[in-house]
Amino acid sequence: MTQLKHIFSITLAAVTLISACATAAEQLTVQVRDKEGKVLPGAAVWLSGKGLAADQAVLTRSYKMGQKNRAFTPHLLIVPKQAEVSFPNYDSILHHVYSFSPAKRFEFKLYRDQPQALTFSATGAVELGCNIHDWMLGYILVVDSTHFAVTDTQGIARISIPAAQHNDVTLKVWHEGFMDLDSPESHVLSAVKSGEQLNIQLQQSLGMLQEDFSDEFDDYE
């Protein structure tokens, strides 16, 4: 009988631990639509507020903006302020990456066996290009938050937040189609909690997006 009680106590403790881990950090679902009401993929969404504790795992995560098949991958990378981003070149050819954005100005050549890394200490949108392959375009969005996500093909972003209600939260949305890339849209929320779904519609129209002009047979190597 004593042994059964001991086993029951261990099982109960394990269940309690699993339950605590499952609820410690849950998700807020946000669906973003453009001004015309269509779902918007590729939008950055993040939360800020005094009651939102920083996620230490996000702060110490390894962030990469790669070059593969003559394209930036991912096309949009969100990182917290002070994050270090590496730039692995997965192609067998040279890339010459640069940015003229105020948040981070730089340029360097990327050989396959000579990776580079940078620390991004200022918030804002960093637009990336390649001096060799003109069609290559990518973005690193530096935010003062650890609660962020990019919308999928259905316009849905799933943001990890502590399992509680949070008051006076600001939700920000950014998209590469904005006329001013340094001015995300802000939506002040009186309260949000994990498990909710929010529906956000942009207040501004989006500009034309650059098409992918890459060609597997192009000569620029």
Side-chain angles (χ1 to χ4, degrees), residues 32-94:
V32 180
R33 296 178 180 272
D34 63 19
K35 192 175 182 180
E36 287 69 42
K38 298 178 181 178
V39 296
L40 185 63
V45 182
W46 68 99
L47 298 172
S48 60
K50 293 181 180 180
L52 278 171
D55 187 334
Q56 296 301 315
V58 174
L59 292 174
T60 58
R61 186 177 297 163
S62 176
Y63 294 95
K64 295 181 180 182
M65 173 57 81
Q67 297 81 51
K68 187 175 183 180
N69 297 326
R70 285 172 275 190
F72 287 106
T73 178
H75 179 68
L76 168 61
L77 175 68
I78 313 178
V79 302
K81 187 170 64 173
Q82 301 298 341
E84 182 179 86
V85 179
S86 61
F87 292 78
N89 181 2
Y90 301 110
D91 290 332
S92 59
I93 58 178
L94 170 69

Side-chain angles (χ1 to χ4, degrees), residues 153-209:
T153 56
Q154 299 302 312
I156 293 176
R158 295 175 176 84
I159 305 174
S160 294
I161 62 173
Q165 178 168 300
H166 308 278
N167 300 322
D168 301 322
V169 172
T170 299
L171 183 148
K172 294 188 177 181
V173 183
W174 179 95
H175 193 270
E176 64 181 283
F178 285 179
M179 295 300 294
D180 184 355
L181 293 180
D182 289 320
S183 297
E185 282 197 4
S186 294
H187 301 262
V188 179
L189 308 173
S190 58
V192 295
K193 60 183 178 181
S194 58
E196 282 188 325
Q197 175 168 328
L198 301 178
N199 296 292
I200 300 295
Q201 186 164 358
L202 295 183
Q203 301 165 358
Q204 60 182 292
S205 299
L206 300 177
M208 295 291 292
L209 301 181

